[in-house]
Amino acid sequence: MQEKIKALEAKIEEAKLGGGEKRIEAQHAKNKLTARERVHFLMDENSFEEIGMLVTHRSSNFGLDKNKPLGDGVVTGYGNINGRLTYVFAQDFTVMGGSLAEAHASKIVKIMDMALKNGAPLIGLNDSGGARIQEGVVSLGGYADIFYRNTQASGVIPQLSAIMGPCAGGAVYSPALTDFISMVENTSYMFVTGPNVVKTVTHEEVTSEELGGASTHSTKSGVTHFTYSNEIECINGLKKLLSYLPQNCEEDAPALDYKLGNEIREKLNSIIPQNPNQPYDIREVIGGTVDSDSFHEVHKNYAENIVVGFARLAGRSIGIVANQPAFLAGVLDNNSSKKGARFVRFCDAFNIPLLVFEDVPGFLPGTDQEWNAIITNGAKLLYAFSEATVPRITVITRKAYGGAYDVMNSKHIGADMNFAWPSSEIAVMGAKGAAEIIFKREIKEADDSEAKWKEKEAEYAEMFANPYNAAARGYIDEVIRPDQTREKLIKAFKMLENKVDSLPKKKHGNIPM
Ligand code: HXC
């Protein structure tokens, strides 16, 4: 028996060595950790249990039968993150470039099925040259098996992807089907077709980094939600993100202990500038309202005119969607509508209550917006809020103009509680533009047109640049002092804690895609 145990231990050592010491050194030389090191830093100490360590591929194509590495280039298993069950796969670039084929895919599929059946999050640490070229169609089939499960698991368990190396070709579609993507700056990239193909087809010369690096995807495409300067930061980011999420769609996110005290926040009284056209940073309002240092921003550098992220209020997880007056005056456009809609749908799928801070002058006009389907994209946000059944609260801090008033979680589309600060302006449009349209004739015929325009602008502003018309109709439940905001929200979310709401029976809705 002793000999057999020794033989087993030798096999385990062999598997742990991955593609060998030289390839591990090469991986480190690129500022990258190995798959096992990543799992080690991700999981609670001694909690990781590996599954399928001895799996090998079955191919003999192109001499592959002479190289059958144990584990087939991916480490899979389960363990705890902050004490909570989580499934993980980590591709091992030291073994055939982490390329994916039949056996490699079947290992990932196995833990995906387990994660779905047992209702726990799945994390994928991607570092792979894509479909294993030698194995042909079984590699493609393996990917499709994973894509299918990503879709089945969507909205049931949280799925997080970290890109920690190359991610090319169809391989990008598994991360894209998951809820959140994190990338590591300078060592990871994602693209459907690489720079060489791009050059051949479009004659563009572009580097991998420019085409699909972390900076590109966090600012231009919005494909990635988080970027980190190194892998350890990325792993810590994954753990932090999980802390705001439930294990699955049937559960609530874990709440931290919180003892109520003085919840008045006087600082909030001095954030809105005197001049209604002067910008301010909505993050100051968010930070001043939620539990200290609890705001975890998602998609920080993309479509900055809307700010989204998770936070805690009196210890409970909430999702925040906020117009950002400091960027493009907080206007809604194509990208911000898509960004907001996706976040709202995630929160709704996972029972995370939604808090909206609204200061929006309307939708961005122009050919660029119209030709890129602001109608369809704006409708996404409208649809996402309208179908959300989680507790939903809106605080209007300043402007709530036009269609954007409706879209940003208005009472009319199902918000549970709507508060407004005294600085709120709720109207069809800004006073200047409104006066120009409805008093066009008076302004034109006046001896001093400019003065008439100003007079009519002031008249319109007097009537609508306030929250009281909306409050008189019950569209606003309460006009509150900014310093009361936190207290009011804590009470309102507590009141909504057991909210039960459902959508009409349907197979699924048809969100404007
Ligand atoms: C088999 C692969 C591989 C692959 C890399 N390797 N990619 N083996 N299939 N897809 C192997 C290499 O042969 C090499 O083996 C080892 O992994 C390390 O690769 P290097 O090229 O030495 O590393 P590096 O210089 O860092 O370059 C990494 C890379 C490059 C940029 C990822 O390897 C590369 O371009 N690979 C091909 C990428 C690709 O086109 N994949 C297919 C995408 S299409 P040795 O033994 O020499 O060390 C796709 C379809 C999926 O994925 C569709 C799903 C719908």
Side-chain angles (χ1 to χ4, degrees):
M1 190 63 183
Q2 282 308 322
E3 268 175 25
K4 293 204 166 166
I5 290 175
K6 268 198 182 135
L8 168 65
E9 281 168 353
K11 266 193 182 296
I12 292 171
E13 279 315 301
E14 184 188 334
K16 283 188 175 166
L17 206 54
E21 269 164 21
K22 280 219 169 97
R23 289 192 176 168
I24 292 175
E25 277 167 27
Q27 181 86 341
H28 288 163
K30 291 186 213 160
N31 279 331
K32 289 165 68 183
L33 298 171
T34 64
R36 282 202 165 70
E37 287 164 342
R38 289 168 182 157
V39 171
H40 167 80
F41 286 117
L42 180 67
M43 294 286 178
D44 295 350
E45 213 173 337
N46 294 326
S47 76
F48 181 63
E49 292 294 328
E50 189 166 342
I51 296 174
M53 185 191 246
L54 304 180
V55 168
T56 58
H57 69 73
R58 301 123 207 174
S59 175
S60 54
N61 301 344
F62 303 100
L64 273 187
D65 48 339
K66 293 183 192 70
N67 179 23
K68 289 201 167 204
L70 298 178
D72 203 41
V74 62
V75 176
T76 54
Y78 66 94
N80 290 342
I81 294 180
N82 294 323
R84 300 161 77 207
L85 175 66
T86 309
Y87 292 81
V88 66
F89 71 85
Q91 291 178 311
D92 185 350
F93 192 81
T94 71
V95 175
M96 292 187 276
S99 56
L100 181 143
E102 188 188 10
H104 180 123
S106 70
K107 287 180 67 178
I108 296 177
V109 159
K110 190 191 261 184
I111 62 143
M112 292 180 89
D113 287 342
M114 283 182 173
L116 187 57
K117 276 189 202 150
N118 295 294
L122 174 78
I123 296 184
L125 306 178
N126 297 267
D127 187 1
S128 166
R132 189 172 302 153
I133 296 160
Q134 300 91 319
E135 290 202 40
V137 69
V138 296
S139 309
L140 303 182
Y143 269 122
D145 289 340
I146 293 169
F147 302 156
Y148 177 73
R149 280 163 181 80
N150 283 134
T151 309
Q152 299 297 311
S154 179
V156 184
I157 52 169
Q159 300 181 79
L160 313 186
S161 300
I163 313 300
M164 298 180 138
C167 191
V172 295
Y173 284 112
S174 171
L177 290 165
T178 64
D179 298 305
F180 295 104
I181 300 180
S182 301
M183 289 182 78
V184 182
E185 286 156 18
N186 303 315
T187 52
S188 70
Y189 50 82
M190 302 174 80
F191 35 67
V192 174
T193 47
N196 292 341
V197 179
V198 169
K199 192 173 172 192
T200 310
V201 178
T202 70
H203 309 293
E204 283 173 284
E205 296 223 17
V206 65
T207 63
S208 293
E209 188 60 31
E210 287 164 346
L211 186 62
S215 147
T216 297
H217 284 313
S218 62
T219 58
K220 290 195 170 81
S221 71
V223 165
T224 192
H225 302 85
F226 303 95
T227 63
Y228 297 97
S229 58
N230 62 57
E231 293 191 11
I232 296 291
E233 272 190 25
C234 180
I235 288 167
N236 289 337
L238 294 170
K239 293 188 206 186
K240 185 169 182 190
L241 177 56
L242 272 188
S243 75
Y244 292 92
L245 314 182
Q247 290 291 87
N248 58 61
C249 65
E250 309 255 305
E251 295 185 10
D252 287 330
L256 303 185
D257 286 341
Y258 185 82
K259 223 173 149 235
L260 287 177
N262 178 6
E263 308 300 345
I264 296 296
R265 296 290 182 269
E266 273 166 28
K267 257 184 151 180
L268 292 172
N269 286 340
S270 51
I271 295 176
I272 305 290
Q274 277 293 344
N275 176 350
N277 295 322
Q278 197 177 319
Y280 63 94
D281 189 347
I282 198 69
R283 290 189 192 93
E284 279 187 52
V285 174
I286 298 170
T289 303
V290 301
D291 297 357
S292 303
D293 297 325
S294 72
F295 184 50
H296 187 47
E297 194 167 342
V298 176
H299 254 151
K300 189 171 181 178
N301 301 317
Y302 178 73
E304 293 173 70
N305 36 332
I306 205 162
V307 170
V308 304
F310 299 101
R312 290 197 178 82
L313 192 71
R316 285 196 61 191
S317 247
I318 55 170
I320 292 182
V321 180
N323 308 114
Q324 171 57 292
F327 195 91
L328 290 177
V331 78
L332 280 176
D333 61 1
N334 282 308
N335 291 347
S336 62
S337 300
K338 287 188 275 183
K339 169 176 164 180
R342 178 141 175 93
F343 185 74
V344 166
R345 296 194 99 215
F346 176 83
C347 291
D348 187 47
F350 289 101
N351 312 318
I352 299 172
L354 283 161
L355 170 59
V356 172
F357 286 111
E358 178 171 359
D359 185 349
V360 59
F363 281 97
L364 184 62
T367 50
D368 176 60
Q369 290 298 310
E370 296 290 354
W371 294 349
N372 284 296
I374 187 62
I375 297 173
T376 311
N377 291 318
K380 288 187 174 93
L381 188 56
L382 187 51
Y383 190 108
F385 273 125
S386 297
E387 73 167 352
T389 56
V390 287
R392 293 197 259 144
I393 301 181
T394 300
V395 178
I396 301 177
T397 58
R398 193 167 61 177
K399 296 178 180 153
Y401 281 127
Y405 158 77
D406 284 343
V407 173
M408 288 302 293
N409 202 34
S410 64
K411 199 87 183 161
H412 320 273
I413 61 168
D416 297 293
M417 289 294 287
N418 294 61
F419 296 105
W421 287 3
S423 45
S424 298
E425 305 167 18
I426 306 173
V428 174
M429 63 197 296
K432 195 164 186 234
E436 189 186 12
I437 295 170
I438 56 179
F439 302 112
K440 190 175 169 186
R441 202 165 35 82
E442 280 114 307
I443 291 170
K444 203 174 158 202
E445 287 169 2
D447 294 337
D448 183 344
S449 294
E450 199 57 35
K452 192 66 172 178
W453 191 354
K454 283 229 159 65
E455 178 199 317
K456 292 295 178 190
E457 181 186 340
E459 210 176 289
Y460 189 87
E462 170 71 19
M463 183 167 291
F464 286 116
N466 63 65
Y468 301 108
N469 276 303
R473 281 173 170 72
Y475 300 166
I476 295 297
D477 294 296
E478 195 177 355
V479 181
I480 58 172
R481 291 194 320 266
D483 64 5
Q484 296 174 293
T485 307
R486 177 175 165 85
E487 188 181 40
K488 295 281 180 188
L489 290 174
I490 292 173
K491 284 186 180 167
F493 274 123
K494 179 85 190 143
M495 175 271 287
L496 294 165
E497 209 168 44
N498 297 320
K499 177 183 174 187
V500 179
D501 197 1
S502 57
L503 300 172
K505 189 175 177 319
K506 57 176 102 172
K507 188 172 175 196
H508 60 70
N510 188 14
I511 188 165
M513 300 288 272

PDB file of all heavy atoms in Angstrom, residues 429-452:
ATOM      1  N   MET A 429     -38.968  70.237 -19.816  1.00  0.00           N
ATOM      2  CA  MET A 429     -37.647  70.668 -20.300  1.00  0.00           C
ATOM      3  C   MET A 429     -37.165  71.868 -19.497  1.00  0.00           C
ATOM      4  O   MET A 429     -37.905  72.403 -18.667  1.00  0.00           O
ATOM      5  CB  MET A 429     -37.698  70.984 -21.798  1.00  0.00           C
ATOM      6  CG  MET A 429     -38.614  72.117 -22.173  1.00  0.00           C
ATOM      7  SD  MET A 429     -38.999  72.122 -23.927  1.00  0.00           S
ATOM      8  CE  MET A 429     -37.405  72.416 -24.618  1.00  0.00           C
ATOM      9  N   GLY A 430     -35.915  72.310 -19.769  1.00  0.00           N
ATOM     10  CA  GLY A 430     -35.355  73.459 -19.069  1.00  0.00           C
ATOM     11  C   GLY A 430     -36.152  74.717 -19.367  1.00  0.00           C
ATOM     12  O   GLY A 430     -36.770  74.846 -20.434  1.00  0.00           O
ATOM     13  N   ALA A 431     -36.125  75.674 -18.418  1.00  0.00           N
ATOM     14  CA  ALA A 431     -36.989  76.859 -18.525  1.00  0.00           C
ATOM     15  C   ALA A 431     -36.682  77.694 -19.776  1.00  0.00           C
ATOM     16  O   ALA A 431     -37.589  78.218 -20.422  1.00  0.00           O
ATOM     17  CB  ALA A 431     -36.832  77.707 -17.270  1.00  0.00           C
ATOM     18  N   LYS A 432     -35.404  77.797 -20.133  1.00  0.00           N
ATOM     19  CA  LYS A 432     -35.030  78.645 -21.267  1.00  0.00           C
ATOM     20  C   LYS A 432     -35.640  78.103 -22.567  1.00  0.00           C
ATOM     21  O   LYS A 432     -36.309  78.830 -23.311  1.00  0.00           O
ATOM     22  CB  LYS A 432     -33.503  78.677 -21.366  1.00  0.00           C
ATOM     23  CG  LYS A 432     -33.008  79.771 -22.245  1.00  0.00           C
ATOM     24  CD  LYS A 432     -31.526  80.025 -22.004  1.00  0.00           C
ATOM     25  CE  LYS A 432     -31.122  81.235 -22.806  1.00  0.00           C
ATOM     26  NZ  LYS A 432     -30.017  81.017 -23.667  1.00  0.00           N
ATOM     27  N   GLY A 433     -35.440  76.815 -22.799  1.00  0.00           N
ATOM     28  CA  GLY A 433     -35.958  76.185 -24.014  1.00  0.00           C
ATOM     29  C   GLY A 433     -37.476  76.170 -24.025  1.00  0.00           C
ATOM     30  O   GLY A 433     -38.116  76.401 -25.055  1.00  0.00           O
ATOM     31  N   ALA A 434     -38.047  75.922 -22.849  1.00  0.00           N
ATOM     32  CA  ALA A 434     -39.506  75.861 -22.762  1.00  0.00           C
ATOM     33  C   ALA A 434     -40.114  77.218 -23.114  1.00  0.00           C
ATOM     34  O   ALA A 434     -41.069  77.310 -23.895  1.00  0.00           O
ATOM     35  CB  ALA A 434     -39.914  75.447 -21.351  1.00  0.00           C
ATOM     36  N   ALA A 435     -39.528  78.284 -22.548  1.00  0.00           N
ATOM     37  CA  ALA A 435     -40.048  79.637 -22.807  1.00  0.00           C
ATOM     38  C   ALA A 435     -39.956  79.963 -24.293  1.00  0.00           C
ATOM     39  O   ALA A 435     -40.881  80.548 -24.875  1.00  0.00           O
ATOM     40  CB  ALA A 435     -39.251  80.652 -21.981  1.00  0.00           C
ATOM     41  N   GLU A 436     -38.861  79.559 -24.914  1.00  0.00           N
ATOM     42  CA  GLU A 436     -38.652  79.850 -26.337  1.00  0.00           C
ATOM     43  C   GLU A 436     -39.743  79.212 -27.196  1.00  0.00           C
ATOM     44  O   GLU A 436     -40.195  79.770 -28.186  1.00  0.00           O
ATOM     45  CB  GLU A 436     -37.273  79.335 -26.761  1.00  0.00           C
ATOM     46  CG  GLU A 436     -36.884  79.776 -28.147  1.00  0.00           C
ATOM     47  CD  GLU A 436     -35.575  79.142 -28.600  1.00  0.00           C
ATOM     48  OE1 GLU A 436     -35.097  78.207 -27.942  1.00  0.00           O
ATOM     49  OE2 GLU A 436     -35.047  79.607 -29.617  1.00  0.00           O
ATOM     50  N   ILE A 437     -40.183  78.020 -26.790  1.00  0.00           N
ATOM     51  CA  ILE A 437     -41.191  77.322 -27.598  1.00  0.00           C
ATOM     52  C   ILE A 437     -42.604  77.839 -27.301  1.00  0.00           C
ATOM     53  O   ILE A 437     -43.321  78.275 -28.190  1.00  0.00           O
ATOM     54  CB  ILE A 437     -41.113  75.791 -27.352  1.00  0.00           C
ATOM     55  CG1 ILE A 437     -39.766  75.260 -27.858  1.00  0.00           C
ATOM     56  CG2 ILE A 437     -42.265  75.077 -28.075  1.00  0.00           C
ATOM     57  CD1 ILE A 437     -39.465  73.834 -27.456  1.00  0.00           C
ATOM     58  N   ILE A 438     -42.962  77.842 -26.014  1.00  0.00           N
ATOM     59  CA  ILE A 438     -44.382  78.141 -25.752  1.00  0.00           C
ATOM     60  C   ILE A 438     -44.699  79.638 -25.789  1.00  0.00           C
ATOM     61  O   ILE A 438     -45.843  80.025 -25.952  1.00  0.00           O
ATOM     62  CB  ILE A 438     -44.898  77.480 -24.445  1.00  0.00           C
ATOM     63  CG1 ILE A 438     -44.055  77.888 -23.238  1.00  0.00           C
ATOM     64  CG2 ILE A 438     -44.982  75.989 -24.573  1.00  0.00           C
ATOM     65  CD1 ILE A 438     -44.544  77.264 -21.932  1.00  0.00           C
ATOM     66  N   PHE A 439     -43.690  80.503 -25.667  1.00  0.00           N
ATOM     67  CA  PHE A 439     -43.941  81.951 -25.753  1.00  0.00           C
ATOM     68  C   PHE A 439     -43.282  82.557 -26.995  1.00  0.00           C
ATOM     69  O   PHE A 439     -42.932  83.735 -27.008  1.00  0.00           O
ATOM     70  CB  PHE A 439     -43.436  82.647 -24.478  1.00  0.00           C
ATOM     71  CG  PHE A 439     -44.074  82.126 -23.224  1.00  0.00           C
ATOM     72  CD1 PHE A 439     -43.322  81.404 -22.295  1.00  0.00           C
ATOM     73  CD2 PHE A 439     -45.425  82.312 -22.984  1.00  0.00           C
ATOM     74  CE1 PHE A 439     -43.907  80.900 -21.140  1.00  0.00           C
ATOM     75  CE2 PHE A 439     -46.018  81.808 -21.818  1.00  0.00           C
ATOM     76  CZ  PHE A 439     -45.255  81.091 -20.897  1.00  0.00           C
ATOM     77  N   LYS A 440     -43.131  81.712 -28.019  1.00  0.00           N
ATOM     78  CA  LYS A 440     -42.429  82.133 -29.232  1.00  0.00           C
ATOM     79  C   LYS A 440     -42.994  83.446 -29.797  1.00  0.00           C
ATOM     80  O   LYS A 440     -42.261  84.387 -30.096  1.00  0.00           O
ATOM     81  CB  LYS A 440     -42.583  81.018 -30.286  1.00  0.00           C
ATOM     82  CG  LYS A 440     -41.732  81.165 -31.508  1.00  0.00           C
ATOM     83  CD  LYS A 440     -41.934  79.913 -32.354  1.00  0.00           C
ATOM     84  CE  LYS A 440     -41.316  80.108 -33.715  1.00  0.00           C
ATOM     85  NZ  LYS A 440     -41.625  78.965 -34.572  1.00  0.00           N
ATOM     86  N   ARG A 441     -44.333  83.506 -29.911  1.00  0.00           N
ATOM     87  CA  ARG A 441     -44.952  84.684 -30.534  1.00  0.00           C
ATOM     88  C   ARG A 441     -44.739  85.928 -29.671  1.00  0.00           C
ATOM     89  O   ARG A 441     -44.292  86.974 -30.163  1.00  0.00           O
ATOM     90  CB  ARG A 441     -46.449  84.432 -30.749  1.00  0.00           C
ATOM     91  CG  ARG A 441     -47.049  85.337 -31.827  1.00  0.00           C
ATOM     92  CD  ARG A 441     -48.418  84.859 -32.286  1.00  0.00           C
ATOM     93  NE  ARG A 441     -49.232  84.266 -31.225  1.00  0.00           N
ATOM     94  CZ  ARG A 441     -49.956  84.986 -30.339  1.00  0.00           C
ATOM     95  NH1 ARG A 441     -49.970  86.287 -30.391  1.00  0.00           N
ATOM     96  NH2 ARG A 441     -50.656  84.363 -29.411  1.00  0.00           N
ATOM     97  N   GLU A 442     -45.006  85.807 -28.348  1.00  0.00           N
ATOM     98  CA  GLU A 442     -44.816  86.969 -27.462  1.00  0.00           C
ATOM     99  C   GLU A 442     -43.387  87.480 -27.520  1.00  0.00           C
ATOM    100  O   GLU A 442     -43.148  88.684 -27.572  1.00  0.00           O
ATOM    101  CB  GLU A 442     -45.131  86.601 -26.005  1.00  0.00           C
ATOM    102  CG  GLU A 442     -46.601  86.592 -25.679  1.00  0.00           C
ATOM    103  CD  GLU A 442     -47.056  85.197 -25.355  1.00  0.00           C
ATOM    104  OE1 GLU A 442     -46.785  84.302 -26.197  1.00  0.00           O
ATOM    105  OE2 GLU A 442     -47.670  84.994 -24.295  1.00  0.00           O
ATOM    106  N   ILE A 443     -42.430  86.545 -27.529  1.00  0.00           N
ATOM    107  CA  ILE A 443     -41.014  86.945 -27.526  1.00  0.00           C
ATOM    108  C   ILE A 443     -40.698  87.676 -28.834  1.00  0.00           C
ATOM    109  O   ILE A 443     -40.071  88.737 -28.837  1.00  0.00           O
ATOM    110  CB  ILE A 443     -40.096  85.713 -27.334  1.00  0.00           C
ATOM    111  CG1 ILE A 443     -40.258  85.162 -25.908  1.00  0.00           C
ATOM    112  CG2 ILE A 443     -38.631  86.055 -27.597  1.00  0.00           C
ATOM    113  CD1 ILE A 443     -39.605  83.829 -25.649  1.00  0.00           C
ATOM    114  N   LYS A 444     -41.196  87.120 -29.945  1.00  0.00           N
ATOM    115  CA  LYS A 444     -40.910  87.704 -31.265  1.00  0.00           C
ATOM    116  C   LYS A 444     -41.516  89.099 -31.400  1.00  0.00           C
ATOM    117  O   LYS A 444     -40.905  90.028 -31.930  1.00  0.00           O
ATOM    118  CB  LYS A 444     -41.479  86.772 -32.351  1.00  0.00           C
ATOM    119  CG  LYS A 444     -40.813  86.950 -33.692  1.00  0.00           C
ATOM    120  CD  LYS A 444     -41.304  85.913 -34.679  1.00  0.00           C
ATOM    121  CE  LYS A 444     -41.052  86.431 -36.076  1.00  0.00           C
ATOM    122  NZ  LYS A 444     -41.933  85.765 -37.041  1.00  0.00           N
ATOM    123  N   GLU A 445     -42.731  89.243 -30.868  1.00  0.00           N
ATOM    124  CA  GLU A 445     -43.432  90.519 -31.051  1.00  0.00           C
ATOM    125  C   GLU A 445     -43.056  91.569 -30.024  1.00  0.00           C
ATOM    126  O   GLU A 445     -43.429  92.740 -30.146  1.00  0.00           O
ATOM    127  CB  GLU A 445     -44.948  90.271 -31.009  1.00  0.00           C
ATOM    128  CG  GLU A 445     -45.424  89.566 -32.284  1.00  0.00           C
ATOM    129  CD  GLU A 445     -46.852  89.055 -32.169  1.00  0.00           C
ATOM    130  OE1 GLU A 445     -47.495  89.276 -31.112  1.00  0.00           O
ATOM    131  OE2 GLU A 445     -47.314  88.417 -33.136  1.00  0.00           O
ATOM    132  N   ALA A 446     -42.330  91.188 -28.983  1.00  0.00           N
ATOM    133  CA  ALA A 446     -41.985  92.153 -27.920  1.00  0.00           C
ATOM    134  C   ALA A 446     -40.977  93.178 -28.429  1.00  0.00           C
ATOM    135  O   ALA A 446     -40.166  92.879 -29.317  1.00  0.00           O
ATOM    136  CB  ALA A 446     -41.388  91.415 -26.728  1.00  0.00           C
ATOM    137  N   ASP A 447     -41.035  94.409 -27.866  1.00  0.00           N
ATOM    138  CA  ASP A 447     -40.069  95.446 -28.253  1.00  0.00           C
ATOM    139  C   ASP A 447     -38.659  94.986 -27.895  1.00  0.00           C
ATOM    140  O   ASP A 447     -37.727  95.156 -28.660  1.00  0.00           O
ATOM    141  CB  ASP A 447     -40.365  96.764 -27.518  1.00  0.00           C
ATOM    142  CG  ASP A 447     -41.708  97.320 -27.995  1.00  0.00           C
ATOM    143  OD1 ASP A 447     -42.114  96.943 -29.112  1.00  0.00           O
ATOM    144  OD2 ASP A 447     -42.341  98.091 -27.231  1.00  0.00           O
ATOM    145  N   ASP A 448     -38.550  94.398 -26.697  1.00  0.00           N
ATOM    146  CA  ASP A 448     -37.241  93.890 -26.273  1.00  0.00           C
ATOM    147  C   ASP A 448     -37.376  92.360 -26.133  1.00  0.00           C
ATOM    148  O   ASP A 448     -37.783  91.846 -25.072  1.00  0.00           O
ATOM    149  CB  ASP A 448     -36.856  94.547 -24.941  1.00  0.00           C
ATOM    150  CG  ASP A 448     -35.470  94.112 -24.498  1.00  0.00           C
ATOM    151  OD1 ASP A 448     -34.952  93.101 -25.038  1.00  0.00           O
ATOM    152  OD2 ASP A 448     -34.907  94.770 -23.599  1.00  0.00           O
ATOM    153  N   SER A 449     -37.081  91.660 -27.230  1.00  0.00           N
ATOM    154  CA  SER A 449     -37.289  90.198 -27.250  1.00  0.00           C
ATOM    155  C   SER A 449     -36.490  89.485 -26.163  1.00  0.00           C
ATOM    156  O   SER A 449     -36.980  88.557 -25.509  1.00  0.00           O
ATOM    157  CB  SER A 449     -36.858  89.629 -28.604  1.00  0.00           C
ATOM    158  OG  SER A 449     -37.694  90.090 -29.593  1.00  0.00           O
ATOM    159  N   GLU A 450     -35.264  89.947 -26.006  1.00  0.00           N
ATOM    160  CA  GLU A 450     -34.376  89.292 -25.024  1.00  0.00           C
ATOM    161  C   GLU A 450     -34.977  89.384 -23.615  1.00  0.00           C
ATOM    162  O   GLU A 450     -35.012  88.399 -22.867  1.00  0.00           O
ATOM    163  CB  GLU A 450     -33.003  89.985 -25.091  1.00  0.00           C
ATOM    164  CG  GLU A 450     -31.840  89.206 -24.517  1.00  0.00           C
ATOM    165  CD  GLU A 450     -31.643  87.831 -25.172  1.00  0.00           C
ATOM    166  OE1 GLU A 450     -31.888  87.672 -26.405  1.00  0.00           O
ATOM    167  OE2 GLU A 450     -31.271  86.926 -24.438  1.00  0.00           O
ATOM    168  N   ALA A 451     -35.452  90.588 -23.276  1.00  0.00           N
ATOM    169  CA  ALA A 451     -36.021  90.810 -21.937  1.00  0.00           C
ATOM    170  C   ALA A 451     -37.292  89.969 -21.763  1.00  0.00           C
ATOM    171  O   ALA A 451     -37.529  89.384 -20.694  1.00  0.00           O
ATOM    172  CB  ALA A 451     -36.340  92.289 -21.739  1.00  0.00           C
ATOM    173  N   LYS A 452     -38.093  89.891 -22.829  1.00  0.00           N
ATOM    174  CA  LYS A 452     -39.340  89.103 -22.767  1.00  0.00           C
ATOM    175  C   LYS A 452     -39.025  87.629 -22.521  1.00  0.00           C
ATOM    176  O   LYS A 452     -39.671  86.946 -21.721  1.00  0.00           O
ATOM    177  CB  LYS A 452     -40.083  89.273 -24.102  1.00  0.00           C
ATOM    178  CG  LYS A 452     -41.500  88.774 -24.093  1.00  0.00           C
ATOM    179  CD  LYS A 452     -42.301  89.621 -23.168  1.00  0.00           C
ATOM    180  CE  LYS A 452     -43.774  89.426 -23.149  1.00  0.00           C
ATOM    181  NZ  LYS A 452     -44.386  90.313 -22.155  1.00  0.00           N
TER     182      LYS A 452
END
